[in-house]
C-alpha cells in the first residue's frame, strides 16, 4: 500500500496562485503515472492533471495554461502549481496513481473567492 499526504491548499482570491504538494510513503517512480484529482461539493471526483514517470504531463482543458504538474521521483513528491485561479477551481484536491489507485488521502482544500 501507499500512503499519500497532500498539502498546500488554502484560501486565495481569484487570479491568485497556490502550490500543492503530495508526499508518498514509497517510491512514486515505481507507481508510474501520477495524477491530481479534485472534488467540489456535491460533485464527483475528477481528474485534473497527470504526469508520466518520465515527466510528460497532461491536463484537462479547464486548467490548461494555468496549472503545472511536476514530480520529484527522488523525493517521492508530486506537485501542482496553480496560477490564475478561478472560483470554479474550489475543491478538495487529491493525488493518486493514474493507472492504479491507492487509498485516498485526506486531500487539501482549495478555496478561491471571487
Amino acid at each position: 500500500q501507499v500512503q499519500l499526504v497532500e498539502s498546500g491548499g488554502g484560501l486565495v482570491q481569484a487570479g491568485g496562485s497556490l502550490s500543492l504538494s503530495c508526499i508518498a510513503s514509497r517510491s512514486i517512480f515505481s507507481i508510474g503515472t501520477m495524477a491530481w484529482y479534485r472534488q467540489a461539493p456535491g460533485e464527483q471526483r475528477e481528474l485534473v492533471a497527470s504526469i508520466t514517470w518520465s515527466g510528460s504531463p497532461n491536463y484537462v482543458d479547464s486548467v490548461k495554461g494555468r496549472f503545472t504538474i511536476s514530480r520529484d521521483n527522488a523525493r517521492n513528491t508530486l506537485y501542482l502549481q496553480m496560477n490564475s485561479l478561478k472560483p470554479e477551481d474550489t475543491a478538495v484536491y487529491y493525488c493518486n496513481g493514474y493507472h492504479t489507485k491507492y487509498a485516498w488521502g485526506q486531500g487539501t482544500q482549495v478555496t478561491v473567492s471571487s
Side-chain angles (χ1 to χ4, degrees):
Q1 249 321 334
V2 177
Q3 289 184 320
L4 302 162
V5 179
E6 302 91 349
S7 63
L11 172 63
V12 65
Q13 288 188 331
S17 299
L18 284 172
S19 181
L20 307 185
S21 297
C22 167
I23 299 177
S25 59
R26 70 170 176 84
S27 170
I28 63 171
F29 178 83
S30 65
I31 294 175
T33 300
M34 296 286 295
W36 284 97
Y37 304 82
R38 66 186 179 187
Q39 186 169 20
E43 302 290 332
Q44 289 193 334
R45 190 172 288 152
E46 64 171 352
L47 175 69
V48 174
S50 64
I51 185 168
T52 65
W53 67 270
S54 60
S56 179
N58 273 290
Y59 304 93
V60 294
D61 287 346
S62 60
V63 307
K64 280 182 181 177
R66 301 188 298 121
F67 290 11
T68 302
I69 188 172
S70 61
R71 64 192 290 164
D72 186 336
N73 292 330
R75 297 179 184 272
N76 297 333
T77 304
L78 183 71
Y79 303 98
L80 186 68
Q81 177 65 41
M82 306 186 296
N83 299 326
S84 302
L85 283 161
K86 303 176 180 180
E88 51 263 44
D89 295 318
T90 294
V92 179
Y93 284 70
Y94 303 87
C95 67
N96 212 318
Y98 179 78
H99 298 291
T100 300
K101 300 294 190 300
Y102 299 93
W104 294 96
Q106 292 189 331
T108 186
Q109 175 71 49
V110 172
T111 304
V112 185
S113 64
S114 57

